[in-house]
């Protein structure tokens, strides 16, 4: 199968289930991907074979778009908002392999708790290192400090 055949089959498979701009973004992505791999010395047929059946790939993309659309239909602060058009654009990037790194799925409170836990762990680690260093040096330092104290005590009496 050639690149143009692969992209045409992928386009046909996507057009029935997702909107035009998302279809075109995915077609552009896979076209660029194939071109990049060929430029890197791979055979076009091997790249297309690695991508697999365009119909199976389209199912993955469509499922990803549907999941993103469902996640964007949120009920927040007493109003219902549907941002599926924005979701379709961003989900095509996720389905096509690139990601914007936007949301990590953690709420603000959870992020704050995680940050606090990390800070506490770091402080405890530093504290244990300091205590460990002192406990390792104590058998040497205590006698030396006692000797210095006794010498100063007797030297001040003269």
């Amino acid at each position: 199968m050639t690149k143009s055949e692969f992209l045409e089959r992928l386009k046909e498979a996507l057009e029935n289930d997702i909107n035009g701009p998302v279809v075109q973004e995915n077609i552009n992505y896979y076209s660029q991907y194939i071109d990049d791999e060929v430029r890197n010395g791979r055979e076009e047929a091997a790249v297309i074979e690695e991508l697999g059946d365009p119909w199976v790939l389209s199912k993955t993309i469509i499922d990803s778009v549907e999941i993103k659309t469902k996640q964007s239909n949120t009920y927040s602060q007493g109003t219902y908002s549907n941002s599926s058009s924005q979701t379709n654009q961003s989900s095509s990037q996720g389905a096509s392999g690139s990601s914007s790194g936007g949301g990590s799925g953690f709420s603000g409170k959870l992020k704050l708790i995680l940050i606090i836990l990390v800070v506490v762990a770091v402080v405890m680690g530093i504290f244990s290192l300091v205590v460990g260093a002192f406990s390792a040096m104590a058998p040497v330092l205590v006698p030396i400090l006692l000797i210095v104290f006794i010498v100063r005590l007797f030297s001040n009496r003269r």
Side-chain angles (χ1 to χ4, degrees):
M1 179 182 325
T2 66
K3 172 185 165 186
S4 59
E5 291 171 335
F6 176 85
L7 295 174
E8 185 59 36
R9 289 182 186 173
L10 180 61
K11 183 177 181 180
E12 289 172 10
L14 292 173
E15 284 179 331
N16 293 331
D17 294 304
I18 55 179
N19 64 26
V22 177
V23 171
Q24 193 56 48
E25 286 177 29
N26 279 282
I27 297 302
N28 291 344
Y29 172 80
Y30 284 102
S31 176
Q32 185 65 43
Y33 176 79
I34 294 168
D35 290 343
D36 289 346
E37 292 298 308
V38 169
R39 246 180 276 146
N40 289 336
R42 295 187 61 201
E43 302 240 352
E44 182 178 285
V47 175
I48 292 170
E49 184 178 325
E50 180 182 276
L51 290 172
D53 187 345
W55 292 97
V56 174
L57 180 60
S58 72
K59 179 66 175 147
T60 304
I61 295 169
I62 292 166
D63 289 347
S64 174
V65 168
E66 288 174 357
I67 289 170
K68 293 286 187 175
T69 301
K70 287 178 185 176
Q71 289 175 349
S72 72
N73 291 332
T74 58
Y75 184 81
S76 65
Q77 299 177 351
T79 59
Y80 183 76
S81 65
N82 179 352
S83 57
S84 62
S85 64
Q86 293 172 349
T87 302
N88 284 344
Q89 292 172 356
S90 65
S91 64
S92 68
Q93 292 173 345
S96 61
S98 66
S99 89
S100 62
S104 63
F106 292 120
S107 68
K109 289 181 181 179
L110 184 56
K111 284 181 184 177
L112 180 62
I113 291 170
L114 288 173
I115 290 170
I116 290 171
L117 287 174
V118 168
V119 169
V120 168
V122 168
V123 168
M124 288 178 62
I126 292 170
F127 179 75
S128 66
L129 284 174
V130 170
V131 169
F134 278 121
S135 65
M137 293 187 301
V140 175
L141 286 179
V142 170
I144 292 173
L145 289 174
L146 281 174
I147 292 170
V148 168
F149 177 73
I150 292 171
V151 168
R152 284 195 175 192
L153 184 67
F154 286 115
S155 67
N156 284 340
R157 287 190 172 203
R158 292 185 184 176

